[in-house]
Amino acid sequence: MICKNLAVQGDDLFFAGRKTKDLVKKYGSPLYVLDEERLRENMRLYARSMKQAFGKEAKPLYAGKANCITAIHRLAKEEKIGIDVVSSGEIATALKAGFPLKNAYFHSNNKTDEDIAFAMQHRIGYFVVDNAEEVEAIEKEAASLGIRQKILLRLTPGIDPHTYEAVSTGKVDSKFGSAIETGQAEEITRLALSKEHVELCGFHCHVGSQVFDSDIFVRAADSMLSFLAEMRQKTGFLAGELDLGGGYGVRYCESDPVIDIEKNILQVGEFVHEKCRELGIPVPAIRMEPGRSIVADAGLTLYTVGTVKRIRGYKNYVSVDGGMTDNPRYALYGSPYTVYIANKMQEETTMTADVVGRCCESGDIIQPGVAVPESVQRGDIVAVLTTGAYNYSMASNYNRVPRPAVVMLGKDEEKIVVRRETLEDLLRGDL
Ligand code: LLP
């Protein structure tokens, strides 16, 4: 089993100690389930490893874009880690969770004036500033509020993370950040330093997501620390924070590599200490922004099988009661997933089928070529593993399909943390 929180007993797949079939009986399907213990363990792993590797000032920021719901932000608050937010909506979610916004870092390559005002009114800790226009907009808003706003500058260090193009962000021609190579990173540093209501605290970079190159953070730190030292020499400004972004990959399938996050972070720590010694600068407070590797393996999606179609001599289809509306990742990225018929775990999987959704397009595929038991039929339960990240947060109402509920499974208790959408919810905005 690719995740520790999975088990098989008799015919059934268990997740976080619960029989998946019972969860569907109790809460309906499709259903997102989250394992609270796993979420906490993943948060703690980063917090502990980072402190050990970089010093006690270091901390992870949970990247809420991976799964932005109040229940997860509440855990982030309890575990005393920071968060990365990317919109007023994500800020509102953090506020509803009672998350202390001073520990929030506001990203986005295009924050609107309204976003900037909203974030500042709620005293967001940091803006991670993408470009020169944004420095000006923040200066203006901060001046009008009579405050000094902390910022980091997002830079592009010119690193190709060898992941899929849509999630690669650290290359010079990226839409994100200011490039070191073109001199724009230095320009924006000087601009930020010249502003009265802006407090430049450090720099940020993010090279990509679902990255398996184990030295990716070393390469990013190398480039960023050199820039830090160069800026100190040229401007006298010594950055106190360095944010290396998100990005350890997770295992969707047995064939995906295993990454030892703790070991990796410790290696980055050794490099950072060594490099800072070489450059003659103190080790800055390091931040990392894990999203996927905090929530992915803490999540599972359960569906009920509907139509099973066997096109003799061609192909088989197993249709489920959700689809690209709750998990668009195969349709978008061809992303692999491990899929089980969760109530027939002992049966031999002698048939191959595309597990597809209920939407009106052929691209509505959860996963092609899945090995399933010959007996698969209407009413069976399908479990798609590792769906905690970028599933609920990327869900849509295409075909006016309501979004599923999210249930959080605690050690002893469980509760619905996002209720299933109703038809009234779908029509709420229609005038
Ligand atoms: N920080 C920044 C600035 C980011 O842009 C991202 C992801 C993260 C942190 C978190 O990266 P993670 O630890 O989750 O890899 N929708 C795509 C993923 C897009 C990632 C965007 N940025 C997917 O479903 O694979």
Side-chain angles (χ1 to χ4, degrees), residues 29-32 301-304 318-331 337 355-361 363-367 384 391-392 394-396 398-399 401-402 404:
S29 70
L31 185 70
Y32 294 115
T301 308
L302 297 169
Y303 304 95
T304 303
V318 171
S319 310
V320 296
D321 51 357
M324 65 193 296
T325 41
D326 58 79
N327 182 356
R329 297 193 68 259
Y330 182 79
Y337 278 102
V355 174
V356 299
R358 55 179 291 179
C359 292
C360 297
E361 66 175 81
D364 175 21
I365 301 170
I366 295 281
Q367 200 58 206
V384 182
N391 273 226
Y392 177 75
M394 292 175 77
S396 76
Y398 181 44
N399 287 176
V401 173

mmCIF file of all heavy atoms in Angstrom, residues 29-32 301-304 318-331 337 355-361 363-367 384 391-392 394-396 398-399 401-402 404:
data_model
loop_
_atom_site.group_PDB
_atom_site.id
_atom_site.type_symbol
_atom_site.label_atom_id
_atom_site.label_comp_id
_atom_site.label_asym_id
_atom_site.label_seq_id
_atom_site.Cartn_x
_atom_site.Cartn_y
_atom_site.Cartn_z
ATOM 1 N N SER A 29 -21.834 9.507 -1.415
ATOM 2 C CA SER A 29 -20.688 9.649 -2.321
ATOM 3 C C SER A 29 -21.081 10.576 -3.468
ATOM 4 O O SER A 29 -22.260 10.787 -3.686
ATOM 5 C CB SER A 29 -20.264 8.273 -2.852
ATOM 6 O OG SER A 29 -21.237 7.764 -3.745
ATOM 7 N N PRO A 30 -20.106 11.130 -4.175
ATOM 8 C CA PRO A 30 -18.671 11.038 -3.894
ATOM 9 C C PRO A 30 -18.340 11.712 -2.570
ATOM 10 O O PRO A 30 -19.063 12.593 -2.112
ATOM 11 C CB PRO A 30 -18.011 11.770 -5.065
ATOM 12 C CG PRO A 30 -19.087 12.405 -5.856
ATOM 13 C CD PRO A 30 -20.402 11.962 -5.357
ATOM 14 N N LEU A 31 -17.226 11.289 -2.014
ATOM 15 C CA LEU A 31 -16.853 11.791 -0.686
ATOM 16 C C LEU A 31 -15.333 11.957 -0.606
ATOM 17 O O LEU A 31 -14.586 11.058 -0.962
ATOM 18 C CB LEU A 31 -17.307 10.763 0.362
ATOM 19 C CG LEU A 31 -17.111 11.160 1.818
ATOM 20 C CD1 LEU A 31 -18.080 12.279 2.212
ATOM 21 C CD2 LEU A 31 -17.327 9.943 2.743
ATOM 22 N N TYR A 32 -14.949 13.135 -0.122
ATOM 23 C CA TYR A 32 -13.529 13.321 0.202
ATOM 24 C C TYR A 32 -13.350 12.995 1.678
ATOM 25 O O TYR A 32 -14.119 13.497 2.511
ATOM 26 C CB TYR A 32 -13.109 14.780 0.055
ATOM 27 C CG TYR A 32 -13.140 15.388 -1.324
ATOM 28 C CD1 TYR A 32 -14.023 16.424 -1.608
ATOM 29 C CD2 TYR A 32 -12.250 15.019 -2.325
ATOM 30 C CE1 TYR A 32 -14.024 17.060 -2.850
ATOM 31 C CE2 TYR A 32 -12.242 15.643 -3.563
ATOM 32 C CZ TYR A 32 -13.130 16.664 -3.813
ATOM 33 O OH TYR A 32 -13.121 17.298 -5.030
ATOM 34 N N THR A 301 -10.538 9.743 -2.054
ATOM 35 C CA THR A 301 -11.882 10.029 -2.565
ATOM 36 C C THR A 301 -12.624 8.720 -2.779
ATOM 37 O O THR A 301 -12.055 7.757 -3.307
ATOM 38 C CB THR A 301 -11.821 10.814 -3.900
ATOM 39 O OG1 THR A 301 -10.976 11.951 -3.727
ATOM 40 C CG2 THR A 301 -13.207 11.285 -4.318
ATOM 41 N N LEU A 302 -13.872 8.697 -2.335
ATOM 42 C CA LEU A 302 -14.703 7.504 -2.492
ATOM 43 C C LEU A 302 -15.862 7.801 -3.422
ATOM 44 O O LEU A 302 -16.492 8.861 -3.327
ATOM 45 C CB LEU A 302 -15.243 7.062 -1.122
ATOM 46 C CG LEU A 302 -14.162 6.651 -0.115
ATOM 47 C CD1 LEU A 302 -14.760 6.487 1.274
ATOM 48 C CD2 LEU A 302 -13.474 5.365 -0.567
ATOM 49 N N TYR A 303 -16.122 6.876 -4.321
ATOM 50 C CA TYR A 303 -17.216 7.014 -5.278
ATOM 51 C C TYR A 303 -18.054 5.732 -5.264
ATOM 52 O O TYR A 303 -17.591 4.681 -4.820
ATOM 53 C CB TYR A 303 -16.690 7.152 -6.713
ATOM 54 C CG TYR A 303 -15.723 8.275 -6.967
ATOM 55 C CD1 TYR A 303 -14.340 8.051 -6.933
ATOM 56 C CD2 TYR A 303 -16.160 9.541 -7.305
ATOM 57 C CE1 TYR A 303 -13.436 9.070 -7.206
ATOM 58 C CE2 TYR A 303 -15.274 10.571 -7.590
ATOM 59 C CZ TYR A 303 -13.910 10.327 -7.539
ATOM 60 O OH TYR A 303 -13.019 11.339 -7.819
ATOM 61 N N THR A 304 -19.249 5.844 -5.841
ATOM 62 C CA THR A 304 -20.052 4.644 -6.071
ATOM 63 C C THR A 304 -20.071 4.373 -7.576
ATOM 64 O O THR A 304 -20.214 5.307 -8.383
ATOM 65 C CB THR A 304 -21.493 4.854 -5.557
ATOM 66 O OG1 THR A 304 -21.409 5.208 -4.173
ATOM 67 C CG2 THR A 304 -22.328 3.595 -5.705
ATOM 68 N N VAL A 318 -15.663 1.891 -16.316
ATOM 69 C CA VAL A 318 -16.360 1.883 -15.026
ATOM 70 C C VAL A 318 -16.670 3.347 -14.723
ATOM 71 O O VAL A 318 -15.748 4.157 -14.557
ATOM 72 C CB VAL A 318 -15.467 1.273 -13.924
ATOM 73 C CG1 VAL A 318 -16.105 1.464 -12.548
ATOM 74 C CG2 VAL A 318 -15.211 -0.201 -14.189
ATOM 75 N N SER A 319 -17.956 3.689 -14.691
ATOM 76 C CA SER A 319 -18.320 5.098 -14.449
ATOM 77 C C SER A 319 -18.632 5.304 -12.978
ATOM 78 O O SER A 319 -19.283 4.471 -12.353
ATOM 79 C CB SER A 319 -19.567 5.476 -15.246
ATOM 80 O OG SER A 319 -19.417 5.092 -16.581
ATOM 81 N N VAL A 320 -18.174 6.441 -12.453
ATOM 82 C CA VAL A 320 -18.437 6.740 -11.042
ATOM 83 C C VAL A 320 -19.290 8.003 -10.935
ATOM 84 O O VAL A 320 -19.461 8.743 -11.914
ATOM 85 C CB VAL A 320 -17.121 6.906 -10.241
ATOM 86 C CG1 VAL A 320 -16.335 5.606 -10.225
ATOM 87 C CG2 VAL A 320 -16.276 8.055 -10.793
ATOM 88 N N ASP A 321 -19.785 8.254 -9.728
ATOM 89 C CA ASP A 321 -20.728 9.359 -9.532
ATOM 90 C C ASP A 321 -20.065 10.719 -9.318
ATOM 91 O O ASP A 321 -20.699 11.666 -8.862
ATOM 92 C CB ASP A 321 -21.705 9.032 -8.385
ATOM 93 C CG ASP A 321 -20.986 8.595 -7.111
ATOM 94 O OD1 ASP A 321 -19.740 8.483 -7.128
ATOM 95 O OD2 ASP A 321 -21.675 8.347 -6.108
ATOM 96 N N GLY A 322 -18.765 10.804 -9.609
ATOM 97 C CA GLY A 322 -18.069 12.104 -9.583
ATOM 98 C C GLY A 322 -17.327 12.252 -10.892
ATOM 99 O O GLY A 322 -17.860 11.905 -11.930
ATOM 100 N N GLY A 323 -16.060 12.712 -10.832
ATOM 101 C CA GLY A 323 -15.278 12.801 -12.062
ATOM 102 C C GLY A 323 -14.397 14.029 -12.077
ATOM 103 O O GLY A 323 -13.900 14.457 -11.026
ATOM 104 N N MET A 324 -14.223 14.613 -13.275
ATOM 105 C CA MET A 324 -13.320 15.758 -13.395
ATOM 106 C C MET A 324 -13.787 16.957 -12.572
ATOM 107 O O MET A 324 -13.019 17.880 -12.326
ATOM 108 C CB MET A 324 -13.142 16.166 -14.857
ATOM 109 C CG MET A 324 -14.399 16.676 -15.511
ATOM 110 S SD MET A 324 -14.259 16.803 -17.309
ATOM 111 C CE MET A 324 -12.992 18.034 -17.492
ATOM 112 N N THR A 325 -15.030 16.928 -12.134
ATOM 113 C CA THR A 325 -15.528 18.017 -11.284
ATOM 114 C C THR A 325 -14.877 17.974 -9.900
ATOM 115 O O THR A 325 -14.627 19.009 -9.301
ATOM 116 C CB THR A 325 -17.055 17.907 -11.129
ATOM 117 O OG1 THR A 325 -17.385 16.528 -10.949
ATOM 118 C CG2 THR A 325 -17.768 18.458 -12.335
ATOM 119 N N ASP A 326 -14.615 16.786 -9.386
ATOM 120 C CA ASP A 326 -13.963 16.721 -8.069
ATOM 121 C C ASP A 326 -12.485 16.380 -8.175
ATOM 122 O O ASP A 326 -11.733 16.576 -7.222
ATOM 123 C CB ASP A 326 -14.677 15.707 -7.149
ATOM 124 C CG ASP A 326 -14.723 14.317 -7.750
ATOM 125 O OD1 ASP A 326 -13.706 13.629 -7.679
ATOM 126 O OD2 ASP A 326 -15.772 13.937 -8.316
ATOM 127 N N ASN A 327 -12.058 15.865 -9.328
ATOM 128 C CA ASN A 327 -10.639 15.578 -9.524
ATOM 129 C C ASN A 327 -10.263 15.810 -10.990
ATOM 130 O O ASN A 327 -10.315 14.901 -11.812
ATOM 131 C CB ASN A 327 -10.302 14.145 -9.126
ATOM 132 C CG ASN A 327 -8.816 13.841 -9.270
ATOM 133 O OD1 ASN A 327 -8.053 14.697 -9.738
ATOM 134 N ND2 ASN A 327 -8.407 12.656 -8.887
ATOM 135 N N PRO A 328 -9.851 17.044 -11.322
ATOM 136 C CA PRO A 328 -9.539 17.351 -12.727
ATOM 137 C C PRO A 328 -8.099 17.008 -13.114
ATOM 138 O O PRO A 328 -7.659 17.338 -14.196
ATOM 139 C CB PRO A 328 -9.759 18.864 -12.791
ATOM 140 C CG PRO A 328 -9.357 19.333 -11.421
ATOM 141 C CD PRO A 328 -9.718 18.223 -10.458
ATOM 142 N N ARG A 329 -7.355 16.330 -12.236
ATOM 143 C CA ARG A 329 -5.911 16.248 -12.441
ATOM 144 C C ARG A 329 -5.486 15.312 -13.570
ATOM 145 O O ARG A 329 -4.485 15.551 -14.218
ATOM 146 C CB ARG A 329 -5.187 15.900 -11.126
ATOM 147 C CG ARG A 329 -5.380 16.990 -10.075
ATOM 148 C CD ARG A 329 -4.456 16.875 -8.881
ATOM 149 N NE ARG A 329 -3.080 17.128 -9.237
ATOM 150 C CZ ARG A 329 -2.170 16.205 -9.436
ATOM 151 N NH1 ARG A 329 -2.477 14.924 -9.301
ATOM 152 N NH2 ARG A 329 -0.955 16.530 -9.774
ATOM 153 N N TYR A 330 -6.275 14.258 -13.820
ATOM 154 C CA TYR A 330 -5.892 13.445 -14.986
ATOM 155 C C TYR A 330 -6.205 14.225 -16.265
ATOM 156 O O TYR A 330 -5.401 14.281 -17.189
ATOM 157 C CB TYR A 330 -6.576 12.064 -15.001
ATOM 158 C CG TYR A 330 -6.097 11.289 -16.206
ATOM 159 C CD1 TYR A 330 -4.856 10.653 -16.176
ATOM 160 C CD2 TYR A 330 -6.824 11.295 -17.394
ATOM 161 C CE1 TYR A 330 -4.354 10.024 -17.302
ATOM 162 C CE2 TYR A 330 -6.324 10.665 -18.530
ATOM 163 C CZ TYR A 330 -5.085 10.035 -18.474
ATOM 164 O OH TYR A 330 -4.576 9.430 -19.594
ATOM 165 N N ALA A 331 -7.378 14.854 -16.282
ATOM 166 C CA ALA A 331 -7.775 15.626 -17.472
ATOM 167 C C ALA A 331 -6.775 16.746 -17.762
ATOM 168 O O ALA A 331 -6.433 17.014 -18.909
ATOM 169 C CB ALA A 331 -9.171 16.204 -17.273
ATOM 170 N N TYR A 337 -2.905 7.885 -10.787
ATOM 171 C CA TYR A 337 -3.520 7.615 -9.477
ATOM 172 C C TYR A 337 -3.611 6.116 -9.260
ATOM 173 O O TYR A 337 -3.713 5.349 -10.216
ATOM 174 C CB TYR A 337 -4.947 8.192 -9.396
ATOM 175 C CG TYR A 337 -4.974 9.657 -9.070
ATOM 176 C CD1 TYR A 337 -5.203 10.605 -10.070
ATOM 177 C CD2 TYR A 337 -4.741 10.103 -7.780
ATOM 178 C CE1 TYR A 337 -5.192 11.958 -9.780
ATOM 179 C CE2 TYR A 337 -4.734 11.457 -7.475
ATOM 180 C CZ TYR A 337 -4.963 12.380 -8.480
ATOM 181 O OH TYR A 337 -4.947 13.717 -8.176
ATOM 182 N N VAL A 355 -11.527 4.228 -15.547
ATOM 183 C CA VAL A 355 -12.461 4.715 -14.528
ATOM 184 C C VAL A 355 -12.779 6.158 -14.907
ATOM 185 O O VAL A 355 -11.884 7.010 -14.970
ATOM 186 C CB VAL A 355 -11.849 4.602 -13.115
ATOM 187 C CG1 VAL A 355 -12.749 5.250 -12.075
ATOM 188 C CG2 VAL A 355 -11.621 3.130 -12.772
ATOM 189 N N VAL A 356 -14.041 6.388 -15.224
ATOM 190 C CA VAL A 356 -14.438 7.692 -15.788
ATOM 191 C C VAL A 356 -15.536 8.331 -14.946
ATOM 192 O O VAL A 356 -16.215 7.666 -14.173
ATOM 193 C CB VAL A 356 -14.916 7.539 -17.251
ATOM 194 C CG1 VAL A 356 -13.797 6.997 -18.136
ATOM 195 C CG2 VAL A 356 -16.146 6.642 -17.346
ATOM 196 N N GLY A 357 -15.697 9.634 -15.168
ATOM 197 C CA GLY A 357 -16.694 10.376 -14.404
ATOM 198 C C GLY A 357 -18.019 10.469 -15.133
ATOM 199 O O GLY A 357 -18.257 9.780 -16.124
ATOM 200 N N ARG A 358 -18.856 11.367 -14.617
ATOM 201 C CA ARG A 358 -20.217 11.471 -15.136
ATOM 202 C C ARG A 358 -20.426 12.695 -16.016
ATOM 203 O O ARG A 358 -21.553 13.014 -16.384
ATOM 204 C CB ARG A 358 -21.186 11.520 -13.972
ATOM 205 C CG ARG A 358 -20.857 12.647 -12.990
ATOM 206 C CD ARG A 358 -21.834 12.715 -11.863
ATOM 207 N NE ARG A 358 -23.125 13.161 -12.349
ATOM 208 C CZ ARG A 358 -24.208 13.298 -11.606
ATOM 209 N NH1 ARG A 358 -24.138 12.998 -10.323
ATOM 210 N NH2 ARG A 358 -25.337 13.719 -12.109
ATOM 211 N N CYS A 359 -19.341 13.402 -16.323
ATOM 212 C CA CYS A 359 -19.484 14.648 -17.085
ATOM 213 C C CYS A 359 -19.578 14.402 -18.581
ATOM 214 O O CYS A 359 -19.116 13.377 -19.088
ATOM 215 C CB CYS A 359 -18.297 15.571 -16.820
ATOM 216 S SG CYS A 359 -18.285 16.172 -15.154
ATOM 217 N N CYS A 360 -20.139 15.419 -19.260
ATOM 218 C CA CYS A 360 -20.391 15.279 -20.692
ATOM 219 C C CYS A 360 -19.161 15.607 -21.501
ATOM 220 O O CYS A 360 -19.153 16.584 -22.254
ATOM 221 C CB CYS A 360 -21.543 16.170 -21.082
ATOM 222 S SG CYS A 360 -23.033 15.663 -20.261
ATOM 223 N N GLU A 361 -18.097 14.877 -21.325
ATOM 224 C CA GLU A 361 -16.975 14.955 -22.253
ATOM 225 C C GLU A 361 -16.086 13.729 -22.077
ATOM 226 O O GLU A 361 -15.937 13.206 -20.966
ATOM 227 C CB GLU A 361 -16.193 16.255 -22.118
ATOM 228 C CG GLU A 361 -15.461 16.492 -20.831
ATOM 229 C CD GLU A 361 -14.641 17.780 -20.932
ATOM 230 O OE1 GLU A 361 -15.236 18.855 -20.763
ATOM 231 O OE2 GLU A 361 -13.429 17.695 -21.194
ATOM 232 N N GLY A 363 -12.980 13.435 -22.140
ATOM 233 C CA GLY A 363 -11.773 13.648 -21.334
ATOM 234 C C GLY A 363 -12.023 13.528 -19.840
ATOM 235 O O GLY A 363 -11.090 13.657 -19.040
ATOM 236 N N ASP A 364 -13.243 13.280 -19.464
ATOM 237 C CA ASP A 364 -13.589 13.165 -18.037
ATOM 238 C C ASP A 364 -13.163 11.793 -17.515
ATOM 239 O O ASP A 364 -13.982 10.890 -17.329
ATOM 240 C CB ASP A 364 -15.098 13.376 -17.870
ATOM 241 C CG ASP A 364 -15.556 13.165 -16.435
ATOM 242 O OD1 ASP A 364 -14.710 13.256 -15.529
ATOM 243 O OD2 ASP A 364 -16.757 12.897 -16.236
ATOM 244 N N ILE A 365 -11.860 11.674 -17.321
ATOM 245 C CA ILE A 365 -11.282 10.387 -16.917
ATOM 246 C C ILE A 365 -10.580 10.585 -15.574
ATOM 247 O O ILE A 365 -9.796 11.515 -15.408
ATOM 248 C CB ILE A 365 -10.248 9.913 -17.967
ATOM 249 C CG1 ILE A 365 -10.921 9.767 -19.326
ATOM 250 C CG2 ILE A 365 -9.575 8.606 -17.543
ATOM 251 C CD1 ILE A 365 -9.946 9.533 -20.470
ATOM 252 N N ILE A 366 -10.878 9.695 -14.633
ATOM 253 C CA ILE A 366 -10.145 9.740 -13.355
ATOM 254 C C ILE A 366 -8.817 9.020 -13.546
ATOM 255 O O ILE A 366 -7.772 9.486 -13.117
ATOM 256 C CB ILE A 366 -10.949 9.040 -12.238
ATOM 257 C CG1 ILE A 366 -12.249 9.783 -11.950
ATOM 258 C CG2 ILE A 366 -10.096 8.855 -10.973
ATOM 259 C CD1 ILE A 366 -12.117 11.003 -11.091
ATOM 260 N N GLN A 367 -8.869 7.870 -14.229
ATOM 261 C CA GLN A 367 -7.645 7.118 -14.496
ATOM 262 C C GLN A 367 -7.928 6.072 -15.564
ATOM 263 O O GLN A 367 -8.890 5.314 -15.440
ATOM 264 C CB GLN A 367 -7.174 6.442 -13.198
ATOM 265 C CG GLN A 367 -5.733 6.026 -13.180
ATOM 266 C CD GLN A 367 -4.746 7.171 -13.421
ATOM 267 O OE1 GLN A 367 -3.679 6.915 -13.891
ATOM 268 N NE2 GLN A 367 -5.083 8.406 -13.139
ATOM 269 N N VAL A 384 -10.050 6.292 -4.747
ATOM 270 C CA VAL A 384 -8.903 6.863 -5.449
ATOM 271 C C VAL A 384 -7.984 7.432 -4.371
ATOM 272 O O VAL A 384 -8.398 8.274 -3.563
ATOM 273 C CB VAL A 384 -9.334 7.951 -6.454
ATOM 274 C CG1 VAL A 384 -8.124 8.504 -7.199
ATOM 275 C CG2 VAL A 384 -10.342 7.379 -7.440
ATOM 276 N N ASN A 391 -7.367 18.559 -5.245
ATOM 277 C CA ASN A 391 -8.607 17.941 -5.713
ATOM 278 C C ASN A 391 -9.758 18.845 -5.280
ATOM 279 O O ASN A 391 -10.338 19.541 -6.096
ATOM 280 C CB ASN A 391 -8.769 16.531 -5.150
ATOM 281 C CG ASN A 391 -8.082 15.483 -6.025
ATOM 282 O OD1 ASN A 391 -8.638 14.442 -6.339
ATOM 283 N ND2 ASN A 391 -6.850 15.744 -6.444
ATOM 284 N N TYR A 392 -10.059 18.861 -3.963
ATOM 285 C CA TYR A 392 -11.130 19.755 -3.503
ATOM 286 C C TYR A 392 -10.838 21.192 -3.940
ATOM 287 O O TYR A 392 -11.736 21.911 -4.386
ATOM 288 C CB TYR A 392 -11.292 19.683 -1.974
ATOM 289 C CG TYR A 392 -12.346 20.645 -1.500
ATOM 290 C CD1 TYR A 392 -13.698 20.363 -1.697
ATOM 291 C CD2 TYR A 392 -12.001 21.866 -0.929
ATOM 292 C CE1 TYR A 392 -14.675 21.272 -1.324
ATOM 293 C CE2 TYR A 392 -12.973 22.773 -0.549
ATOM 294 C CZ TYR A 392 -14.301 22.472 -0.743
ATOM 295 O OH TYR A 392 -15.263 23.380 -0.385
ATOM 296 N N MET A 394 -9.394 22.311 -6.467
ATOM 297 C CA MET A 394 -9.541 22.551 -7.911
ATOM 298 C C MET A 394 -10.883 22.052 -8.430
ATOM 299 O O MET A 394 -11.100 21.987 -9.643
ATOM 300 C CB MET A 394 -8.404 21.854 -8.673
ATOM 301 C CG MET A 394 -7.051 22.489 -8.396
ATOM 302 S SD MET A 394 -5.702 21.592 -9.160
ATOM 303 C CE MET A 394 -5.878 22.125 -10.852
ATOM 304 N N ALA A 395 -11.772 21.705 -7.524
ATOM 305 C CA ALA A 395 -13.070 21.162 -7.944
ATOM 306 C C ALA A 395 -13.912 22.244 -8.601
ATOM 307 O O ALA A 395 -13.752 23.432 -8.332
ATOM 308 C CB ALA A 395 -13.795 20.594 -6.729
ATOM 309 N N SER A 396 -14.821 21.822 -9.463
ATOM 310 C CA SER A 396 -15.687 22.785 -10.152
ATOM 311 C C SER A 396 -17.122 22.275 -10.151
ATOM 312 O O SER A 396 -17.397 21.154 -9.714
ATOM 313 C CB SER A 396 -15.231 22.965 -11.589
ATOM 314 O OG SER A 396 -15.634 21.848 -12.364
ATOM 315 N N TYR A 398 -18.794 22.084 -13.028
ATOM 316 C CA TYR A 398 -19.073 21.770 -14.433
ATOM 317 C C TYR A 398 -20.272 20.825 -14.502
ATOM 318 O O TYR A 398 -20.395 19.920 -13.660
ATOM 319 C CB TYR A 398 -17.831 21.124 -15.052
ATOM 320 C CG TYR A 398 -17.986 20.762 -16.513
ATOM 321 C CD1 TYR A 398 -18.569 21.645 -17.418
ATOM 322 C CD2 TYR A 398 -17.534 19.538 -16.996
ATOM 323 C CE1 TYR A 398 -18.703 21.309 -18.758
ATOM 324 C CE2 TYR A 398 -17.659 19.189 -18.328
ATOM 325 C CZ TYR A 398 -18.249 20.086 -19.198
ATOM 326 O OH TYR A 398 -18.379 19.752 -20.522
ATOM 327 N N ASN A 399 -21.102 21.043 -15.470
ATOM 328 C CA ASN A 399 -22.354 20.267 -15.626
ATOM 329 C C ASN A 399 -23.285 20.439 -14.420
ATOM 330 O O ASN A 399 -24.172 19.626 -14.188
ATOM 331 C CB ASN A 399 -22.079 18.777 -15.831
ATOM 332 C CG ASN A 399 -21.521 18.443 -17.195
ATOM 333 O OD1 ASN A 399 -21.194 17.304 -17.472
ATOM 334 N ND2 ASN A 399 -21.399 19.413 -18.085
ATOM 335 N N VAL A 401 -22.687 19.984 -11.330
ATOM 336 C CA VAL A 401 -22.553 18.874 -10.387
ATOM 337 C C VAL A 401 -22.129 19.481 -9.046
ATOM 338 O O VAL A 401 -21.159 20.230 -8.994
ATOM 339 C CB VAL A 401 -21.485 17.860 -10.879
ATOM 340 C CG1 VAL A 401 -21.223 16.790 -9.832
ATOM 341 C CG2 VAL A 401 -21.914 17.232 -12.193
ATOM 342 N N PRO A 402 -22.852 19.202 -7.973
ATOM 343 C CA PRO A 402 -22.463 19.757 -6.663
ATOM 344 C C PRO A 402 -21.136 19.171 -6.180
ATOM 345 O O PRO A 402 -20.830 18.009 -6.459
ATOM 346 C CB PRO A 402 -23.603 19.313 -5.724
ATOM 347 C CG PRO A 402 -24.683 18.787 -6.600
ATOM 348 C CD PRO A 402 -24.060 18.367 -7.893
ATOM 349 N N PRO A 404 -18.570 17.454 -3.589
ATOM 350 C CA PRO A 404 -18.767 16.478 -2.509
ATOM 351 C C PRO A 404 -18.524 17.086 -1.127
ATOM 352 O O PRO A 404 -17.920 18.154 -1.005
ATOM 353 C CB PRO A 404 -17.690 15.419 -2.784
ATOM 354 C CG PRO A 404 -17.174 15.678 -4.142
ATOM 355 C CD PRO A 404 -17.425 17.115 -4.458
#
